[in-house]
Structure formats: C-alpha cells, structure tokens
Amino acid sequence: MQFISVVSVPVSDQVRARDFYLDKLGFRLLAESTFGDELRWIQVGIPGAQTSLTLVNWFDEMPPGSLRGLVIDCEDLEKEYQALTERGVTFLGPPSRQPGGLFAILSDPDGNLISLRQTGS
C-alpha cells in the first residue's frame, strides 16, 4: 500500500456540493464525468495534495451528511477560519485547542463535518 487516494463524501446534490468545495473551500476540480446508468463522478482536491474527495450520491449505506472524522491540516488555522467564515462557510464554533492540535469543525451544505487542524504550537 502507498497512500489513500480518494475519500467518498456523501451528498444529496453533487453540483451544489461541487460548487461549495470549489467556491467556498478553494478546492480544485480534478475530474467530472458520467458513468454507468447516468451516474456522475465529481472529484475535487486541495492543490498539491495526494488525497482527493469524490462527491457521491449512489451509496445507500452513506446518507448525505453522514461523513465525520475527516481532518484537513492547515499551516495557520486562525487565518483559514477567518477567510472561510468571510466566504460564508459555517463552523460549529471558533478554533479550539484539543488533543492533537488546534481544531475548527466546518459543515458542508449536507451537514458533513470536516475538521481543520493545526498541529504544533
């Protein structure tokens, strides 16, 4: 094994989710195409990162908004928190010190929760 390449994020509306991840969070569109019986593959990622996200609506076992525990590292969490808040991203609260670093948890349009983390200091 080498690394995790793609994590599936369960969403109800793939286009709305794509726009949120691109416009609000600053991800880049890596792939968008249809496959199978009119299914859609939308893959987004952080510039320079190995792991990307695919915005899925075809797994019955993964209802929209059920993602928890995804952590994205940041160099300056306070700066990221401020910039994302100004872009309309909803956080559960301000950054707080937790075991493992400084964290701030954001919610996407479906209620998937993503933790931003700054380690060190």
Side-chain angles (χ1 to χ4, degrees):
M1 289 185 254
Q2 293 180 311
F3 57 88
I4 295 171
S5 61
V6 179
V7 174
S8 295
V9 177
V11 300
S12 58
D13 181 326
Q14 289 176 297
V15 172
R16 179 182 70 169
R18 177 201 64 204
D19 293 346
F20 172 81
Y21 282 87
L22 299 181
D23 300 339
K24 301 287 185 182
L25 297 185
F27 283 45
R28 291 205 177 132
L29 182 64
L30 303 177
E32 184 168 1
S33 60
T34 57
F35 66 97
D37 296 327
E38 310 254 344
L39 297 174
R40 194 173 196 169
W41 180 269
I42 298 178
Q43 186 176 354
V44 298
I46 298 169
Q50 275 189 316
T51 304
S52 61
L53 305 178
T54 184
L55 308 172
V56 302
N57 62 0
W58 56 81
F59 292 124
D60 292 337
E61 309 82 18
M62 294 175 67
S66 63
L67 179 72
R68 301 292 186 270
L70 182 66
V71 178
I72 299 174
D73 281 351
C74 303
E75 285 186 31
D76 185 341
L77 180 57
E78 293 287 350
K79 182 179 174 182
E80 290 287 343
Y81 175 80
Q82 184 65 36
L84 293 175
T85 299
E86 288 173 4
R87 283 188 244 158
V89 174
T90 302
F91 283 85
L92 299 186
S96 64
R97 178 109 3 236
Q98 303 293 327
L102 185 64
F103 286 84
I105 301 170
L106 67 87
S107 177
D108 78 0
D110 283 292
N112 292 301
L113 299 181
I114 299 171
S115 296
L116 300 184
R117 175 181 75 161
Q118 179 182 333
T119 60
S121 58

PDB file of all heavy atoms in Angstrom, residues 70-110:
ATOM      1  N   LEU A  70     -13.193  13.454   9.037  1.00  0.00           N
ATOM      2  CA  LEU A  70     -12.219  13.853   8.024  1.00  0.00           C
ATOM      3  C   LEU A  70     -11.463  15.066   8.559  1.00  0.00           C
ATOM      4  O   LEU A  70     -12.070  16.040   9.005  1.00  0.00           O
ATOM      5  CB  LEU A  70     -12.923  14.204   6.715  1.00  0.00           C
ATOM      6  CG  LEU A  70     -12.026  14.585   5.545  1.00  0.00           C
ATOM      7  CD1 LEU A  70     -11.177  13.394   5.105  1.00  0.00           C
ATOM      8  CD2 LEU A  70     -12.859  15.080   4.377  1.00  0.00           C
ATOM      9  N   VAL A  71     -10.138  15.007   8.522  1.00  0.00           N
ATOM     10  CA  VAL A  71      -9.302  16.081   9.061  1.00  0.00           C
ATOM     11  C   VAL A  71      -8.414  16.627   7.947  1.00  0.00           C
ATOM     12  O   VAL A  71      -7.755  15.871   7.240  1.00  0.00           O
ATOM     13  CB  VAL A  71      -8.423  15.578  10.229  1.00  0.00           C
ATOM     14  CG1 VAL A  71      -7.530  16.691  10.757  1.00  0.00           C
ATOM     15  CG2 VAL A  71      -9.290  15.013  11.346  1.00  0.00           C
ATOM     16  N   ILE A  72      -8.409  17.950   7.811  1.00  0.00           N
ATOM     17  CA  ILE A  72      -7.554  18.630   6.843  1.00  0.00           C
ATOM     18  C   ILE A  72      -6.585  19.503   7.629  1.00  0.00           C
ATOM     19  O   ILE A  72      -7.005  20.355   8.416  1.00  0.00           O
ATOM     20  CB  ILE A  72      -8.385  19.497   5.875  1.00  0.00           C
ATOM     21  CG1 ILE A  72      -9.359  18.619   5.084  1.00  0.00           C
ATOM     22  CG2 ILE A  72      -7.462  20.279   4.944  1.00  0.00           C
ATOM     23  CD1 ILE A  72     -10.321  19.392   4.215  1.00  0.00           C
ATOM     24  N   ASP A  73      -5.309  19.280   7.424  1.00  0.00           N
ATOM     25  CA  ASP A  73      -4.294  20.074   8.123  1.00  0.00           C
ATOM     26  C   ASP A  73      -4.125  21.443   7.477  1.00  0.00           C
ATOM     27  O   ASP A  73      -4.221  21.584   6.257  1.00  0.00           O
ATOM     28  CB  ASP A  73      -2.954  19.344   8.135  1.00  0.00           C
ATOM     29  CG  ASP A  73      -2.896  18.250   9.188  1.00  0.00           C
ATOM     30  OD1 ASP A  73      -3.809  18.154  10.025  1.00  0.00           O
ATOM     31  OD2 ASP A  73      -1.914  17.485   9.183  1.00  0.00           O
ATOM     32  N   CYS A  74      -3.851  22.431   8.326  1.00  0.00           N
ATOM     33  CA  CYS A  74      -3.631  23.817   7.903  1.00  0.00           C
ATOM     34  C   CYS A  74      -2.363  24.333   8.565  1.00  0.00           C
ATOM     35  O   CYS A  74      -2.063  23.951   9.692  1.00  0.00           O
ATOM     36  CB  CYS A  74      -4.780  24.714   8.363  1.00  0.00           C
ATOM     37  SG  CYS A  74      -6.401  24.218   7.794  1.00  0.00           S
ATOM     38  N   GLU A  75      -1.671  25.211   7.881  1.00  0.00           N
ATOM     39  CA  GLU A  75      -0.499  25.846   8.489  1.00  0.00           C
ATOM     40  C   GLU A  75      -0.919  26.903   9.493  1.00  0.00           C
ATOM     41  O   GLU A  75      -0.306  27.046  10.546  1.00  0.00           O
ATOM     42  CB  GLU A  75       0.381  26.475   7.407  1.00  0.00           C
ATOM     43  CG  GLU A  75       1.169  25.463   6.622  1.00  0.00           C
ATOM     44  CD  GLU A  75       2.145  26.123   5.663  1.00  0.00           C
ATOM     45  OE1 GLU A  75       2.641  27.227   5.975  1.00  0.00           O
ATOM     46  OE2 GLU A  75       2.388  25.522   4.613  1.00  0.00           O
ATOM     47  N   ASP A  76      -1.954  27.688   9.163  1.00  0.00           N
ATOM     48  CA  ASP A  76      -2.423  28.772  10.017  1.00  0.00           C
ATOM     49  C   ASP A  76      -3.936  28.680  10.120  1.00  0.00           C
ATOM     50  O   ASP A  76      -4.672  29.240   9.299  1.00  0.00           O
ATOM     51  CB  ASP A  76      -1.990  30.115   9.423  1.00  0.00           C
ATOM     52  CG  ASP A  76      -2.333  31.299  10.307  1.00  0.00           C
ATOM     53  OD1 ASP A  76      -3.199  31.179  11.194  1.00  0.00           O
ATOM     54  OD2 ASP A  76      -1.722  32.367  10.101  1.00  0.00           O
ATOM     55  N   LEU A  77      -4.395  27.962  11.128  1.00  0.00           N
ATOM     56  CA  LEU A  77      -5.827  27.695  11.264  1.00  0.00           C
ATOM     57  C   LEU A  77      -6.630  28.969  11.495  1.00  0.00           C
ATOM     58  O   LEU A  77      -7.719  29.121  10.939  1.00  0.00           O
ATOM     59  CB  LEU A  77      -6.086  26.695  12.396  1.00  0.00           C
ATOM     60  CG  LEU A  77      -7.555  26.333  12.623  1.00  0.00           C
ATOM     61  CD1 LEU A  77      -8.198  25.781  11.374  1.00  0.00           C
ATOM     62  CD2 LEU A  77      -7.694  25.366  13.761  1.00  0.00           C
ATOM     63  N   GLU A  78      -6.139  29.879  12.291  1.00  0.00           N
ATOM     64  CA  GLU A  78      -6.864  31.132  12.540  1.00  0.00           C
ATOM     65  C   GLU A  78      -7.110  31.883  11.233  1.00  0.00           C
ATOM     66  O   GLU A  78      -8.206  32.393  10.988  1.00  0.00           O
ATOM     67  CB  GLU A  78      -6.100  32.019  13.531  1.00  0.00           C
ATOM     68  CG  GLU A  78      -6.010  31.453  14.935  1.00  0.00           C
ATOM     69  CD  GLU A  78      -7.308  31.512  15.723  1.00  0.00           C
ATOM     70  OE1 GLU A  78      -8.278  32.169  15.281  1.00  0.00           O
ATOM     71  OE2 GLU A  78      -7.357  30.883  16.792  1.00  0.00           O
ATOM     72  N   LYS A  79      -6.095  31.942  10.383  1.00  0.00           N
ATOM     73  CA  LYS A  79      -6.216  32.617   9.090  1.00  0.00           C
ATOM     74  C   LYS A  79      -7.235  31.903   8.194  1.00  0.00           C
ATOM     75  O   LYS A  79      -8.085  32.539   7.572  1.00  0.00           O
ATOM     76  CB  LYS A  79      -4.838  32.668   8.416  1.00  0.00           C
ATOM     77  CG  LYS A  79      -4.819  33.377   7.090  1.00  0.00           C
ATOM     78  CD  LYS A  79      -3.402  33.397   6.533  1.00  0.00           C
ATOM     79  CE  LYS A  79      -3.375  33.965   5.132  1.00  0.00           C
ATOM     80  NZ  LYS A  79      -2.018  33.941   4.569  1.00  0.00           N
ATOM     81  N   GLU A  80      -7.158  30.571   8.138  1.00  0.00           N
ATOM     82  CA  GLU A  80      -8.113  29.789   7.341  1.00  0.00           C
ATOM     83  C   GLU A  80      -9.536  29.979   7.858  1.00  0.00           C
ATOM     84  O   GLU A  80     -10.473  30.170   7.078  1.00  0.00           O
ATOM     85  CB  GLU A  80      -7.764  28.294   7.365  1.00  0.00           C
ATOM     86  CG  GLU A  80      -6.517  27.924   6.621  1.00  0.00           C
ATOM     87  CD  GLU A  80      -6.655  27.974   5.114  1.00  0.00           C
ATOM     88  OE1 GLU A  80      -7.796  27.983   4.587  1.00  0.00           O
ATOM     89  OE2 GLU A  80      -5.616  27.994   4.450  1.00  0.00           O
ATOM     90  N   TYR A  81      -9.686  29.914   9.167  1.00  0.00           N
ATOM     91  CA  TYR A  81     -11.002  30.083   9.791  1.00  0.00           C
ATOM     92  C   TYR A  81     -11.599  31.441   9.404  1.00  0.00           C
ATOM     93  O   TYR A  81     -12.768  31.519   9.000  1.00  0.00           O
ATOM     94  CB  TYR A  81     -10.874  29.957  11.310  1.00  0.00           C
ATOM     95  CG  TYR A  81     -12.144  30.230  12.067  1.00  0.00           C
ATOM     96  CD1 TYR A  81     -13.129  29.258  12.189  1.00  0.00           C
ATOM     97  CD2 TYR A  81     -12.359  31.463  12.667  1.00  0.00           C
ATOM     98  CE1 TYR A  81     -14.291  29.506  12.887  1.00  0.00           C
ATOM     99  CE2 TYR A  81     -13.523  31.725  13.369  1.00  0.00           C
ATOM    100  CZ  TYR A  81     -14.485  30.750  13.482  1.00  0.00           C
ATOM    101  OH  TYR A  81     -15.657  31.003  14.174  1.00  0.00           O
ATOM    102  N   GLN A  82     -10.818  32.486   9.511  1.00  0.00           N
ATOM    103  CA  GLN A  82     -11.285  33.836   9.175  1.00  0.00           C
ATOM    104  C   GLN A  82     -11.678  33.938   7.705  1.00  0.00           C
ATOM    105  O   GLN A  82     -12.747  34.439   7.365  1.00  0.00           O
ATOM    106  CB  GLN A  82     -10.210  34.870   9.515  1.00  0.00           C
ATOM    107  CG  GLN A  82     -10.642  36.297   9.289  1.00  0.00           C
ATOM    108  CD  GLN A  82     -11.769  36.721  10.207  1.00  0.00           C
ATOM    109  OE1 GLN A  82     -11.826  36.313  11.360  1.00  0.00           O
ATOM    110  NE2 GLN A  82     -12.680  37.526   9.700  1.00  0.00           N
ATOM    111  N   ALA A  83     -10.809  33.456   6.815  1.00  0.00           N
ATOM    112  CA  ALA A  83     -11.072  33.537   5.376  1.00  0.00           C
ATOM    113  C   ALA A  83     -12.314  32.738   4.985  1.00  0.00           C
ATOM    114  O   ALA A  83     -13.152  33.212   4.211  1.00  0.00           O
ATOM    115  CB  ALA A  83      -9.855  33.041   4.591  1.00  0.00           C
ATOM    116  N   LEU A  84     -12.452  31.534   5.528  1.00  0.00           N
ATOM    117  CA  LEU A  84     -13.604  30.701   5.186  1.00  0.00           C
ATOM    118  C   LEU A  84     -14.895  31.266   5.770  1.00  0.00           C
ATOM    119  O   LEU A  84     -15.948  31.221   5.124  1.00  0.00           O
ATOM    120  CB  LEU A  84     -13.373  29.261   5.653  1.00  0.00           C
ATOM    121  CG  LEU A  84     -12.255  28.513   4.933  1.00  0.00           C
ATOM    122  CD1 LEU A  84     -12.038  27.141   5.555  1.00  0.00           C
ATOM    123  CD2 LEU A  84     -12.537  28.394   3.439  1.00  0.00           C
ATOM    124  N   THR A  85     -14.827  31.806   6.964  1.00  0.00           N
ATOM    125  CA  THR A  85     -16.005  32.438   7.564  1.00  0.00           C
ATOM    126  C   THR A  85     -16.474  33.602   6.692  1.00  0.00           C
ATOM    127  O   THR A  85     -17.673  33.765   6.451  1.00  0.00           O
ATOM    128  CB  THR A  85     -15.693  32.910   9.006  1.00  0.00           C
ATOM    129  OG1 THR A  85     -15.327  31.774   9.786  1.00  0.00           O
ATOM    130  CG2 THR A  85     -16.881  33.586   9.641  1.00  0.00           C
ATOM    131  N   GLU A  86     -15.529  34.394   6.200  1.00  0.00           N
ATOM    132  CA  GLU A  86     -15.874  35.519   5.325  1.00  0.00           C
ATOM    133  C   GLU A  86     -16.499  35.050   4.018  1.00  0.00           C
ATOM    134  O   GLU A  86     -17.285  35.782   3.410  1.00  0.00           O
ATOM    135  CB  GLU A  86     -14.622  36.363   5.044  1.00  0.00           C
ATOM    136  CG  GLU A  86     -14.174  37.160   6.246  1.00  0.00           C
ATOM    137  CD  GLU A  86     -12.845  37.863   6.050  1.00  0.00           C
ATOM    138  OE1 GLU A  86     -12.267  37.808   4.930  1.00  0.00           O
ATOM    139  OE2 GLU A  86     -12.360  38.468   7.034  1.00  0.00           O
ATOM    140  N   ARG A  87     -16.181  33.831   3.578  1.00  0.00           N
ATOM    141  CA  ARG A  87     -16.774  33.268   2.354  1.00  0.00           C
ATOM    142  C   ARG A  87     -18.102  32.568   2.623  1.00  0.00           C
ATOM    143  O   ARG A  87     -18.684  31.984   1.721  1.00  0.00           O
ATOM    144  CB  ARG A  87     -15.810  32.288   1.701  1.00  0.00           C
ATOM    145  CG  ARG A  87     -14.706  32.986   0.952  1.00  0.00           C
ATOM    146  CD  ARG A  87     -13.892  31.993   0.160  1.00  0.00           C
ATOM    147  NE  ARG A  87     -12.547  32.008   0.723  1.00  0.00           N
ATOM    148  CZ  ARG A  87     -11.665  31.056   0.616  1.00  0.00           C
ATOM    149  NH1 ARG A  87     -11.944  29.947  -0.029  1.00  0.00           N
ATOM    150  NH2 ARG A  87     -10.483  31.178   1.161  1.00  0.00           N
ATOM    151  N   GLY A  88     -18.563  32.587   3.874  1.00  0.00           N
ATOM    152  CA  GLY A  88     -19.859  32.012   4.189  1.00  0.00           C
ATOM    153  C   GLY A  88     -19.846  30.574   4.651  1.00  0.00           C
ATOM    154  O   GLY A  88     -20.899  29.944   4.735  1.00  0.00           O
ATOM    155  N   VAL A  89     -18.676  30.035   4.963  1.00  0.00           N
ATOM    156  CA  VAL A  89     -18.595  28.664   5.461  1.00  0.00           C
ATOM    157  C   VAL A  89     -19.077  28.640   6.912  1.00  0.00           C
ATOM    158  O   VAL A  89     -18.704  29.501   7.711  1.00  0.00           O
ATOM    159  CB  VAL A  89     -17.151  28.118   5.349  1.00  0.00           C
ATOM    160  CG1 VAL A  89     -17.024  26.747   6.001  1.00  0.00           C
ATOM    161  CG2 VAL A  89     -16.731  28.051   3.883  1.00  0.00           C
ATOM    162  N   THR A  90     -19.898  27.657   7.246  1.00  0.00           N
ATOM    163  CA  THR A  90     -20.436  27.513   8.590  1.00  0.00           C
ATOM    164  C   THR A  90     -19.536  26.619   9.429  1.00  0.00           C
ATOM    165  O   THR A  90     -19.223  25.497   9.029  1.00  0.00           O
ATOM    166  CB  THR A  90     -21.855  26.897   8.547  1.00  0.00           C
ATOM    167  OG1 THR A  90     -22.688  27.742   7.761  1.00  0.00           O
ATOM    168  CG2 THR A  90     -22.430  26.739   9.934  1.00  0.00           C
ATOM    169  N   PHE A  91     -19.135  27.118  10.587  1.00  0.00           N
ATOM    170  CA  PHE A  91     -18.349  26.354  11.551  1.00  0.00           C
ATOM    171  C   PHE A  91     -19.203  26.060  12.769  1.00  0.00           C
ATOM    172  O   PHE A  91     -20.128  26.821  13.094  1.00  0.00           O
ATOM    173  CB  PHE A  91     -17.101  27.143  11.989  1.00  0.00           C
ATOM    174  CG  PHE A  91     -16.000  27.146  10.973  1.00  0.00           C
ATOM    175  CD1 PHE A  91     -15.987  28.083   9.948  1.00  0.00           C
ATOM    176  CD2 PHE A  91     -14.971  26.218  11.035  1.00  0.00           C
ATOM    177  CE1 PHE A  91     -14.972  28.097   9.002  1.00  0.00           C
ATOM    178  CE2 PHE A  91     -13.953  26.218  10.099  1.00  0.00           C
ATOM    179  CZ  PHE A  91     -13.951  27.164   9.074  1.00  0.00           C
ATOM    180  N   LEU A  92     -18.896  24.961  13.472  1.00  0.00           N
ATOM    181  CA  LEU A  92     -19.616  24.638  14.700  1.00  0.00           C
ATOM    182  C   LEU A  92     -19.220  25.566  15.836  1.00  0.00           C
ATOM    183  O   LEU A  92     -19.941  25.692  16.820  1.00  0.00           O
ATOM    184  CB  LEU A  92     -19.371  23.185  15.109  1.00  0.00           C
ATOM    185  CG  LEU A  92     -19.813  22.122  14.108  1.00  0.00           C
ATOM    186  CD1 LEU A  92     -19.636  20.736  14.712  1.00  0.00           C
ATOM    187  CD2 LEU A  92     -21.248  22.324  13.665  1.00  0.00           C
ATOM    188  N   GLY A  93     -18.069  26.211  15.703  1.00  0.00           N
ATOM    189  CA  GLY A  93     -17.580  27.149  16.703  1.00  0.00           C
ATOM    190  C   GLY A  93     -16.210  27.628  16.299  1.00  0.00           C
ATOM    191  O   GLY A  93     -15.660  27.191  15.290  1.00  0.00           O
ATOM    192  N   PRO A  94     -15.641  28.528  17.078  1.00  0.00           N
ATOM    193  CA  PRO A  94     -14.304  29.024  16.757  1.00  0.00           C
ATOM    194  C   PRO A  94     -13.250  27.951  16.999  1.00  0.00           C
ATOM    195  O   PRO A  94     -13.519  26.935  17.654  1.00  0.00           O
ATOM    196  CB  PRO A  94     -14.129  30.205  17.717  1.00  0.00           C
ATOM    197  CG  PRO A  94     -15.008  29.879  18.869  1.00  0.00           C
ATOM    198  CD  PRO A  94     -16.183  29.131  18.298  1.00  0.00           C
ATOM    199  N   PRO A  95     -12.037  28.161  16.506  1.00  0.00           N
ATOM    200  CA  PRO A  95     -10.956  27.204  16.744  1.00  0.00           C
ATOM    201  C   PRO A  95     -10.757  26.969  18.246  1.00  0.00           C
ATOM    202  O   PRO A  95     -10.871  27.898  19.054  1.00  0.00           O
ATOM    203  CB  PRO A  95      -9.729  27.881  16.131  1.00  0.00           C
ATOM    204  CG  PRO A  95     -10.290  28.769  15.069  1.00  0.00           C
ATOM    205  CD  PRO A  95     -11.585  29.271  15.637  1.00  0.00           C
ATOM    206  N   SER A  96     -10.473  25.717  18.595  1.00  0.00           N
ATOM    207  CA  SER A  96     -10.240  25.376  19.996  1.00  0.00           C
ATOM    208  C   SER A  96      -9.120  24.352  20.095  1.00  0.00           C
ATOM    209  O   SER A  96      -8.931  23.529  19.208  1.00  0.00           O
ATOM    210  CB  SER A  96     -11.512  24.834  20.651  1.00  0.00           C
ATOM    211  OG  SER A  96     -11.903  23.617  20.054  1.00  0.00           O
ATOM    212  N   ARG A  97      -8.391  24.433  21.193  1.00  0.00           N
ATOM    213  CA  ARG A  97      -7.289  23.507  21.448  1.00  0.00           C
ATOM    214  C   ARG A  97      -7.879  22.175  21.907  1.00  0.00           C
ATOM    215  O   ARG A  97      -8.706  22.132  22.804  1.00  0.00           O
ATOM    216  CB  ARG A  97      -6.366  24.090  22.515  1.00  0.00           C
ATOM    217  CG  ARG A  97      -5.242  23.185  22.855  1.00  0.00           C
ATOM    218  CD  ARG A  97      -3.853  23.538  22.433  1.00  0.00           C
ATOM    219  NE  ARG A  97      -3.547  24.757  21.764  1.00  0.00           N
ATOM    220  CZ  ARG A  97      -2.929  24.801  20.572  1.00  0.00           C
ATOM    221  NH1 ARG A  97      -2.611  23.696  19.944  1.00  0.00           N
ATOM    222  NH2 ARG A  97      -2.626  25.946  20.016  1.00  0.00           N
ATOM    223  N   GLN A  98      -7.462  21.103  21.251  1.00  0.00           N
ATOM    224  CA  GLN A  98      -7.899  19.743  21.561  1.00  0.00           C
ATOM    225  C   GLN A  98      -6.660  18.850  21.557  1.00  0.00           C
ATOM    226  O   GLN A  98      -5.620  19.252  21.038  1.00  0.00           O
ATOM    227  CB  GLN A  98      -8.896  19.240  20.509  1.00  0.00           C
ATOM    228  CG  GLN A  98     -10.126  20.085  20.322  1.00  0.00           C
ATOM    229  CD  GLN A  98     -11.027  20.073  21.521  1.00  0.00           C
ATOM    230  OE1 GLN A  98     -11.143  19.087  22.230  1.00  0.00           O
ATOM    231  NE2 GLN A  98     -11.685  21.208  21.772  1.00  0.00           N
ATOM    232  N   PRO A  99      -6.782  17.626  22.079  1.00  0.00           N
ATOM    233  CA  PRO A  99      -5.659  16.705  21.915  1.00  0.00           C
ATOM    234  C   PRO A  99      -5.366  16.559  20.416  1.00  0.00           C
ATOM    235  O   PRO A  99      -6.277  16.364  19.621  1.00  0.00           O
ATOM    236  CB  PRO A  99      -6.182  15.392  22.507  1.00  0.00           C
ATOM    237  CG  PRO A  99      -7.243  15.814  23.468  1.00  0.00           C
ATOM    238  CD  PRO A  99      -7.879  17.040  22.846  1.00  0.00           C
ATOM    239  N   GLY A 100      -4.129  16.746  20.041  1.00  0.00           N
ATOM    240  CA  GLY A 100      -3.766  16.627  18.633  1.00  0.00           C
ATOM    241  C   GLY A 100      -3.625  17.954  17.915  1.00  0.00           C
ATOM    242  O   GLY A 100      -3.256  17.976  16.749  1.00  0.00           O
ATOM    243  N   GLY A 101      -3.957  19.069  18.565  1.00  0.00           N
ATOM    244  CA  GLY A 101      -3.762  20.354  17.914  1.00  0.00           C
ATOM    245  C   GLY A 101      -4.895  21.329  18.117  1.00  0.00           C
ATOM    246  O   GLY A 101      -5.767  21.157  18.963  1.00  0.00           O
ATOM    247  N   LEU A 102      -4.902  22.346  17.284  1.00  0.00           N
ATOM    248  CA  LEU A 102      -5.942  23.372  17.262  1.00  0.00           C
ATOM    249  C   LEU A 102      -6.930  22.963  16.173  1.00  0.00           C
ATOM    250  O   LEU A 102      -6.521  22.687  15.039  1.00  0.00           O
ATOM    251  CB  LEU A 102      -5.297  24.727  16.942  1.00  0.00           C
ATOM    252  CG  LEU A 102      -6.169  25.956  16.983  1.00  0.00           C
ATOM    253  CD1 LEU A 102      -6.698  26.191  18.407  1.00  0.00           C
ATOM    254  CD2 LEU A 102      -5.381  27.177  16.510  1.00  0.00           C
ATOM    255  N   PHE A 103      -8.223  22.906  16.502  1.00  0.00           N
ATOM    256  CA  PHE A 103      -9.239  22.412  15.575  1.00  0.00           C
ATOM    257  C   PHE A 103     -10.373  23.413  15.385  1.00  0.00           C
ATOM    258  O   PHE A 103     -10.729  24.137  16.316  1.00  0.00           O
ATOM    259  CB  PHE A 103      -9.875  21.110  16.103  1.00  0.00           C
ATOM    260  CG  PHE A 103      -9.006  19.904  16.000  1.00  0.00           C
ATOM    261  CD1 PHE A 103      -8.074  19.625  16.988  1.00  0.00           C
ATOM    262  CD2 PHE A 103      -9.115  19.030  14.933  1.00  0.00           C
ATOM    263  CE1 PHE A 103      -7.270  18.504  16.919  1.00  0.00           C
ATOM    264  CE2 PHE A 103      -8.318  17.908  14.845  1.00  0.00           C
ATOM    265  CZ  PHE A 103      -7.392  17.638  15.842  1.00  0.00           C
ATOM    266  N   ALA A 104     -10.957  23.395  14.198  1.00  0.00           N
ATOM    267  CA  ALA A 104     -12.213  24.085  13.910  1.00  0.00           C
ATOM    268  C   ALA A 104     -12.993  23.166  12.975  1.00  0.00           C
ATOM    269  O   ALA A 104     -12.449  22.657  11.995  1.00  0.00           O
ATOM    270  CB  ALA A 104     -11.970  25.435  13.263  1.00  0.00           C
ATOM    271  N   ILE A 105     -14.250  22.934  13.292  1.00  0.00           N
ATOM    272  CA  ILE A 105     -15.059  21.985  12.517  1.00  0.00           C
ATOM    273  C   ILE A 105     -16.048  22.758  11.653  1.00  0.00           C
ATOM    274  O   ILE A 105     -16.821  23.575  12.153  1.00  0.00           O
ATOM    275  CB  ILE A 105     -15.804  21.017  13.446  1.00  0.00           C
ATOM    276  CG1 ILE A 105     -14.797  20.250  14.306  1.00  0.00           C
ATOM    277  CG2 ILE A 105     -16.676  20.067  12.638  1.00  0.00           C
ATOM    278  CD1 ILE A 105     -15.422  19.438  15.416  1.00  0.00           C
ATOM    279  N   LEU A 106     -16.004  22.478  10.347  1.00  0.00           N
ATOM    280  CA  LEU A 106     -16.930  23.130   9.418  1.00  0.00           C
ATOM    281  C   LEU A 106     -17.955  22.128   8.918  1.00  0.00           C
ATOM    282  O   LEU A 106     -17.754  20.915   8.993  1.00  0.00           O
ATOM    283  CB  LEU A 106     -16.173  23.777   8.262  1.00  0.00           C
ATOM    284  CG  LEU A 106     -15.438  22.881   7.259  1.00  0.00           C
ATOM    285  CD1 LEU A 106     -16.362  22.436   6.124  1.00  0.00           C
ATOM    286  CD2 LEU A 106     -14.248  23.624   6.685  1.00  0.00           C
ATOM    287  N   SER A 107     -19.044  22.673   8.396  1.00  0.00           N
ATOM    288  CA  SER A 107     -20.125  21.857   7.858  1.00  0.00           C
ATOM    289  C   SER A 107     -20.329  22.208   6.391  1.00  0.00           C
ATOM    290  O   SER A 107     -20.375  23.386   6.035  1.00  0.00           O
ATOM    291  CB  SER A 107     -21.409  22.135   8.647  1.00  0.00           C
ATOM    292  OG  SER A 107     -22.499  21.425   8.112  1.00  0.00           O
ATOM    293  N   ASP A 108     -20.465  21.175   5.546  1.00  0.00           N
ATOM    294  CA  ASP A 108     -20.780  21.437   4.141  1.00  0.00           C
ATOM    295  C   ASP A 108     -22.299  21.567   4.010  1.00  0.00           C
ATOM    296  O   ASP A 108     -23.024  21.437   5.004  1.00  0.00           O
ATOM    297  CB  ASP A 108     -20.152  20.375   3.231  1.00  0.00           C
ATOM    298  CG  ASP A 108     -20.878  19.045   3.175  1.00  0.00           C
ATOM    299  OD1 ASP A 108     -21.918  18.867   3.846  1.00  0.00           O
ATOM    300  OD2 ASP A 108     -20.393  18.158   2.447  1.00  0.00           O
ATOM    301  N   PRO A 109     -22.834  21.840   2.818  1.00  0.00           N
ATOM    302  CA  PRO A 109     -24.283  22.054   2.674  1.00  0.00           C
ATOM    303  C   PRO A 109     -25.155  20.879   3.114  1.00  0.00           C
ATOM    304  O   PRO A 109     -26.327  21.066   3.445  1.00  0.00           O
ATOM    305  CB  PRO A 109     -24.457  22.325   1.178  1.00  0.00           C
ATOM    306  CG  PRO A 109     -23.145  22.881   0.745  1.00  0.00           C
ATOM    307  CD  PRO A 109     -22.118  22.144   1.572  1.00  0.00           C
ATOM    308  N   ASP A 110     -24.608  19.658   3.135  1.00  0.00           N
ATOM    309  CA  ASP A 110     -25.382  18.486   3.560  1.00  0.00           C
ATOM    310  C   ASP A 110     -25.222  18.169   5.035  1.00  0.00           C
ATOM    311  O   ASP A 110     -25.874  17.271   5.544  1.00  0.00           O
ATOM    312  CB  ASP A 110     -24.990  17.261   2.732  1.00  0.00           C
ATOM    313  CG  ASP A 110     -25.607  17.295   1.350  1.00  0.00           C
ATOM    314  OD1 ASP A 110     -26.838  17.166   1.251  1.00  0.00           O
ATOM    315  OD2 ASP A 110     -24.863  17.473   0.370  1.00  0.00           O
TER     316      ASP A 110
END
